[in-house]
């Protein structure tokens, strides 16, 4: 039996008859954001197949209930083109490993140099207790958020969205590990340092129960974009930065501690990249010509819900500011900065601040 050219083409099934750049030897099959495609775009755009872009057949693999490999129903947000998103930091596998390796090397150097110089023994005793109990508790928040993002990334509709969420998860989990290793190592130089105190405070101390509630609400969401949104646009400015920048990094030097800010500072740099990526994605969705109004209503609901939990969590943390012997900043000052931060974030994406 003879086979027509059209039948022969359809039997391949995993391609398209005509696509952007199909007549070019460079195979530029997508529209780059700038004039020329970046290496990041080459490595992430359209990596997974999509029947709406180039495939002749439907999804190659589906779940037993008929749900396709990737589904737009995994978030209540709508987009006229999910493939439009490009991460601001343009991070993909190789660049992510390089950056993480650099940060890990820096943190390890800080720890080694600090211990060699005997720095932990010069920390104020009240400050040592703060690090033991409260920085030790906070690492559990970072681990919970990282775990939430690890689950969320699987459900992003495109590889670009998945990459941004997955690298975010990796940074969170690495920082949780940084804190664990840092406290374990300086604890070797501090008599009576209780390595289990942080977990006890995380589980039982009223100061941390609002934070636990906020983190667990994020982890319990079944909408992957809500998890990503709530972490970077709500929890981080109102709770994460409040504790890291507004407390630890402000107070540490006055307690004779120049090591902890270097370790914690790596997380602040992580957040700037993750925030930029999230703002880019949410701005794209709130300004979508077809679905922008729907998305703004949805996101304002998420902002109000998670904002209330984050405000409660922040208020519960207030007693920590009274613990250091030398006080150089107040909770009110730190909270004012966090309010300004979330106001600026909401203004960027066109939402109402909680």
């Amino acid at each position: 039996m003879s086979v027509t050219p059209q039948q022969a083409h359809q039997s391949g099934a995993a391609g398209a008859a005509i696509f952007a750049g199909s007549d070019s030897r460079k195979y530029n099959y997508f529209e780059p954001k700038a004039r020329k495609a970046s290496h990041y775009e080459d490595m992430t755009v359209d990596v997974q197949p999509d029947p709406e872009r180039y495939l002749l057949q439907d999804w190659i693999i589906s779940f037993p209930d008929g749900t396709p490999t990737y589904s737009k129903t995994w978030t209540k947000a709508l987009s006229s083109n999910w493939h439009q998103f490009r991460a601001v930091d343009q991070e993909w596998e190789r660049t992510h490993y390089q950056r993480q390796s650099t940060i890990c090397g820096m943190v390890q150097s800080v720890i080694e140099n600090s211990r060699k110089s005997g720095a932990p023994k010069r920390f104020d005793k009240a400050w040592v207790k703060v690090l033991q109990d409260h920085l030790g508790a906070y690492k559990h928040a970072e681990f919970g958020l990282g775990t939430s993002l690890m689950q969320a990334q699987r459900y992003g509709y495109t590889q670009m969205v998945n990459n941004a969420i997955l690298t975010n998860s990796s940074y969170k989990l690495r920082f949780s590990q940084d804190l664990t290793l840092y406290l374990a190592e300086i604890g070797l130089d501090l008599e009576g340092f209780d390595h289990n105190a942080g977990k006890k405070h995380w589980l039982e101390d009223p100061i941390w129960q609002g934070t636990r509630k906020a983190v667990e609400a994020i982890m319990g969401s079944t909408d992957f974009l809500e998890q990503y949104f709530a972490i970077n646009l709500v929890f981080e400015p109102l709770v994460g930065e409040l504790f890291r920048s507004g407390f630890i990094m402000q107070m540490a030097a006055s307690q004779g501690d120049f090591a902890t800010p270097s370790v914690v500072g790596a997380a602040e740099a992580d957040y700037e990249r993750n925030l930029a990526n999230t703002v880019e994605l949410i701005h794209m969705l709130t300004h979508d010509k077809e679905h922008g109004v729907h998305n703004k209503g949805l996101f304002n609901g998420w902002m109000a819900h998670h904002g209330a939990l984050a405000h409660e969590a922040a208020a519960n943390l207030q007693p920590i500011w009274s613990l250091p012997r030398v006080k150089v900043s107040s909770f009110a000052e730190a909270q004012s900065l966090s309010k300004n931060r979330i106001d600026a974030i909401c203004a960027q994406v066109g939402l109402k601040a909680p």
Side-chain angles (χ1 to χ4, degrees):
M1 183 178 69
S2 63
V3 178
T4 67
Q6 179 64 19
Q7 289 173 324
H9 178 77
Q10 288 180 340
S11 68
I18 299 174
F19 55 87
S22 60
D23 59 348
S24 169
R25 295 182 66 182
K26 294 182 179 179
Y27 301 103
N28 185 19
Y29 54 89
F30 60 86
E31 286 292 332
K33 186 172 183 179
R35 241 178 114 184
K36 184 179 178 182
S38 65
H39 197 175
Y40 153 76
E41 288 178 306
D42 285 336
M43 300 303 297
T44 59
V45 178
D46 291 316
V47 168
Q48 89 273 19
D50 182 348
E52 295 182 8
R53 295 166 67 92
Y54 322 132
L55 284 183
L56 295 179
Q57 85 285 21
D58 203 349
W59 292 99
I60 301 170
I61 302 173
S62 295
F63 291 95
D65 65 355
T67 302
T69 313
Y70 293 89
S71 173
K72 294 178 182 179
T73 63
W74 289 336
T75 178
K76 293 178 181 177
L78 301 174
S79 175
S80 55
N81 180 15
W82 284 104
H83 298 269
Q84 179 185 340
F85 172 70
R86 302 288 190 273
V88 176
D89 65 358
Q90 298 201 13
E91 195 153 296
W92 58 284
E93 187 176 359
R94 180 179 177 181
T95 55
H96 181 67
Y97 289 151
Q98 289 173 331
R99 184 170 285 159
Q100 286 283 54
S101 177
T102 299
I103 295 170
C104 287
M106 180 276 292
V107 170
Q108 191 57 43
S109 293
V110 168
I111 295 173
E112 290 175 359
N113 292 334
S114 174
R115 293 191 64 205
K116 283 178 183 178
S117 66
K121 294 178 182 178
R122 295 190 292 273
F123 291 177
D124 185 89
K125 285 185 170 54
W127 183 248
V128 170
K129 187 83 163 56
V130 169
L131 296 180
Q132 170 191 278
D133 296 348
H134 298 292
L135 188 59
Y138 181 72
K139 71 182 181 184
H140 295 281
E142 292 285 336
F143 180 79
L145 298 176
T147 302
S148 178
L149 289 165
M150 185 193 303
Q151 187 267 345
Q153 65 83 27
R154 168 59 186 87
Y155 298 95
Y157 189 69
T158 74
Q159 190 74 9
M160 295 85 78
V161 173
N162 290 353
N163 264 26
I165 300 177
L166 183 58
T167 55
N168 196 159
S169 170
S170 178
Y171 285 125
K172 285 292 180 191
L173 294 176
R174 190 220 71 240
F175 181 53
S176 177
Q177 178 178 275
D178 289 345
L179 294 180
T180 301
L181 295 175
Y182 174 64
L183 293 174
E185 294 215 33
I186 65 170
L188 296 173
D189 302 330
L190 299 168
E191 186 176 350
F193 192 89
D194 184 357
H195 298 285
N196 295 314
K199 182 179 180 180
K200 184 176 178 63
H201 279 265
W202 175 249
L203 294 175
E204 302 174 11
D205 191 337
I207 287 174
W208 287 102
Q209 298 320 295
T211 305
R212 270 189 68 197
K213 183 178 177 181
V215 171
E216 289 171 6
I218 292 170
M219 296 178 73
S221 172
T222 57
D223 188 309
F224 81 89
L225 192 62
E226 180 181 358
Q227 292 175 300
Y228 189 49
F229 175 101
I231 289 172
N232 289 317
L233 300 194
V234 187
F235 183 91
E236 281 283 74
L238 292 179
V239 184
E241 274 193 321
L242 177 75
F243 179 74
R244 295 189 308 260
S245 288
F247 178 69
I248 294 293
M249 296 182 71
Q250 289 290 325
M251 296 283 195
S254 299
Q255 323 304 319
D257 178 5
F258 296 91
T260 307
S262 296
V263 176
V264 173
E268 300 303 76
D270 293 340
Y271 177 49
E272 291 298 336
R273 289 191 296 273
N274 294 325
L275 175 61
N277 289 342
T278 313
V279 165
E280 180 78 7
L281 177 58
I282 299 304
H283 183 276
M284 180 190 91
L285 296 173
T286 56
H287 291 77
D288 188 291
K289 291 182 180 180
E290 294 180 39
H291 308 292
V293 174
H294 164 84
N295 290 332
K296 281 187 178 181
L298 176 68
F299 297 158
N300 278 322
W302 290 351
M303 182 67 71
H305 172 65
H306 292 283
L309 293 172
H311 279 306
E312 178 187 352
N316 287 355
L317 294 178
Q318 184 171 1
I320 297 178
W321 270 252
S322 65
L323 297 178
R325 187 176 60 84
V326 180
K327 298 172 178 63
V328 296
S329 66
S330 68
F331 175 77
E333 291 170 335
Q335 192 171 46
S336 177
L337 290 174
S338 73
K339 184 180 184 305
N340 291 340
R341 175 70 143 168
I342 197 166
D343 285 348
I345 290 170
C346 288
Q348 283 183 286
V349 293
L351 300 177
K352 299 174 184 176

